[in-house]
Amino acid sequence: MKIERIETFLVAPRWLFCRVETDDGLVGWGEPVVEGRAEVVRSAVEVLSEYLIGADPLRIEQHWQVLTKGGFYRGGPILSSAVAGLDQALWDIAGQAYGAPVHALLGGPVRDRVRVYSWIGGDEPDEVADAAAAQVAAGLTGVKMNACGRLSPIPTSAEVDEVVSRVAAAREVLGPDRDIALDFHGRAGLAAVRRILPELVPLRPFFVEEPLLPDQAHHLRDIVASTPIPVATGERLYGRSEFLGPLQAGVAVVQPDLSHAGGISEVRRIAALAETYGALLAPHCPLGPISLAASLQVAFATPNFLIQEQSIGIHYNAGSELLDYLVDPEPFRFVDGHMARLDRPGLGITVDEAAVRKAAQTPHAWRNPIWQHADGSFAEW
C-alpha cells in the first residue's frame, strides 16, 4: 500500500482539513491548522507531501521522524501543525487497514467514556450566567470561560472585581458539583496574575489556563507555588521538549493541541512525559471534527487524561458547525457530560467529503482580532 494523493481544504469557519488517499482506496483525514495562518500551514503540508507521496502509510513513526527532523531548520507552530494533520490522517488509515480504532493501536482503551467541557462567553455576569445555564441544560458537567478580556498590565481594583463577579455568576449557576475552568489566554502578566488569583480561590476554579504567555514560562514556578488553584498550560507549545520546563515548574495540567503539537504521535509522548511528573492531560481543541476525534482517541488510551475541550456550538463556529462535516454526528453525542468510546476503525468518524469539497469552494481567510490598550499600544488577544 502506498500514499497516492494528498489534498487540503480550507473550510469555514477557520479550519484546514487534509485528505490522504492510498492506492488501494483507503482515505485518512487530518486537521493541520494554525488559526489565522491556515494558508501558511497549507503550504507546509504541500511541501511535506513531496516526501509522503509513494510512501507506505503504515510507517507512521518513521514518517513522523522524517517530517519533523528531515529539514535542517525544525519546529515551530507552522511545521508542527502541518505534521500534526498528516499524522492524524496516517493513524486514520492505519486503523482502517487493521480494522481497529486508533486507541486500540495505542495499547487499548483505559476508559469507556471521556468527560468533555464547553466554552462559554459573556461580558457581563448575567450573560455568563445564562451561558452557563445553557451548558448545564445540555448535560455538561464542566465549562470554561475567559478569565478576562483586555487587561491592564497591573489591573485596577475595578478590573479585578469584574473578573471575580463574572466567575462568581458562573459558579452560582454551576453549583458545587460542576467545574469551571478559567482561561487567561496569556493576557495577564506576572503582576496581574498575582493580584487576581488570590481573589478567585474561594470560587474554586477547576484550573487556570495559560496564566502567562509561553515566553514567560520561567515565572510559572512562582505562580504554581503561590496558589492552590491548579495551573494549566500548553496550547502554544509544540513538542515534548517545550513541556519540560512547565512540568518542572509544577503545572498540574498540560494542554497540547492535537492539530498543533505534532499530532497523535507526539501528544501521546507528551502525555507520558506529563505522567512522570504527576500532571494530567487535557487536550486543547477549539477546532473541527477531525481534531476532536484525534483528541478523543488519545484520551481513551491515556491513563493520566483529565478532560477534553470541544467546540460544538462555540461562538467561533457561527454559520458553520463542526457537525456539518460529518456523515453521522452520533459519535459526538453528549451523555451526562461525556462522550462514549469511539469504536469504529481509524479516528472513529466518517467525514462528509461532499460537504468538505463544497465548503472549500468558498475558502475562509480568518484572522484573529488585534487588540489595543486605551493608549494605543498592543494588547494580548
Side-chain angles (χ1 to χ4, degrees):
M1 183 165 56
K2 295 181 180 180
I3 297 171
E4 188 172 72
R5 181 166 58 158
I6 298 175
E7 300 175 272
T8 55
F9 306 90
L10 280 167
V11 298
R14 54 179 187 153
W15 304 328
L16 178 69
F17 295 167
C18 71
R19 179 185 184 274
V20 178
E21 182 177 354
T22 69
D23 58 356
D24 64 355
L26 290 183
V27 173
W29 288 88
E31 195 167 334
V33 66
V34 171
E35 302 93 301
R37 300 290 185 267
E39 303 94 327
V40 186
V41 180
R42 184 182 210 176
S43 295
V45 171
E46 292 172 356
V47 172
L48 296 177
S49 296
E50 297 171 4
Y51 160 75
L52 288 174
I53 297 296
D56 179 355
L58 300 183
R59 299 189 65 177
I60 299 173
E61 184 58 32
Q62 173 70 3
H63 298 327
W64 192 92
Q65 295 291 326
V66 172
L67 293 175
T68 58
K69 301 175 182 177
F72 184 76
Y73 297 99
R74 308 173 182 177
I78 301 301
L79 178 60
S80 63
S81 297
V83 172
L86 291 167
D87 182 80
Q88 292 169 15
L90 294 182
W91 278 103
D92 194 17
I93 289 172
Q96 295 172 57
Y98 295 125
V102 169
H103 63 73
L105 306 184
L106 297 175
V110 296
R111 57 182 51 83
D112 297 321
R113 59 180 191 163
V114 162
R115 189 183 182 204
V116 298
Y117 70 87
S118 185
W119 189 90
I120 61 172
D123 294 326
E124 300 296 332
D126 288 347
E127 295 171 344
V128 172
D130 290 343
Q135 296 303 331
V136 170
L140 292 180
T141 62
V143 300
K144 185 171 76 176
M145 60 183 285
N146 283 331
C148 59
R150 182 178 56 193
L151 195 66
S152 300
I154 298 180
T156 65
S157 178
E159 286 177 308
V160 175
D161 289 344
E162 180 182 3
V163 172
V164 174
S165 63
R166 292 172 63 253
V167 178
R171 171 55 73 199
E172 183 174 358
V173 171
L174 295 169
D177 296 323
R178 298 180 182 89
D179 290 309
I180 178 168
L182 305 178
D183 189 356
F184 277 89
H185 225 250
R187 294 168 181 166
L190 181 61
V193 173
R194 284 176 165 166
R195 175 165 285 191
I196 294 171
L197 288 189
E199 304 294 329
L200 294 174
V201 170
L203 297 171
R204 297 179 181 173
F206 193 42
F207 57 75
V208 291
E209 176 178 333
E210 212 174 32
L212 300 173
L213 289 167
D215 58 12
Q216 296 177 4
H218 51 286
H219 289 306
L220 276 173
R221 186 181 298 275
D222 296 334
I223 298 299
V224 170
S226 69
T227 181
I229 303 173
V231 174
T233 196
E235 70 181 77
R236 288 188 274 188
L237 303 178
Y238 311 113
R240 78 203 92 136
S241 63
E242 296 184 24
F243 280 87
L244 187 57
L247 287 166
Q248 290 172 334
V251 298
V253 182
V254 294
Q255 300 174 295
D257 190 305
L258 269 289
S259 283
H260 300 329
I264 291 169
S265 296
E266 183 68 351
V267 170
R268 177 72 165 162
R269 291 186 279 260
I270 292 168
L273 175 64
E275 188 177 13
T276 66
Y277 283 87
L280 300 165
L281 177 74
H284 179 256
C285 188
L287 293 170
I290 306 167
S291 185
L292 177 56
S295 299
L296 291 170
Q297 293 293 339
V298 170
F300 288 123
T302 300
N304 57 321
F305 168 80
L306 176 65
I307 196 168
Q308 178 61 55
E309 181 176 21
Q310 55 79 37
S311 68
I312 296 173
I314 197 172
H315 64 299
Y316 290 124
N317 300 353
S320 186
E321 179 56 64
L322 68 83
L323 299 179
D324 296 341
Y325 295 109
L326 297 179
V327 172
D328 178 13
E330 180 65 18
F332 291 160
R333 186 166 65 92
F334 303 141
V335 178
D336 298 328
H338 293 73
M339 288 182 178
R341 193 169 69 230
L342 308 180
D343 284 328
R344 300 175 186 176
L347 292 179
I349 59 172
T350 302
V351 174
D352 188 338
E353 185 172 328
V356 171
R357 291 188 182 279
K358 181 179 179 181
Q361 293 174 7
T362 53
H364 70 86
W366 187 86
R367 301 290 183 264
N368 64 250
I370 303 298
W371 282 2
Q372 294 179 326
H373 290 297
D375 63 1
S377 62
F378 176 81
E380 291 291 339
W381 170 66

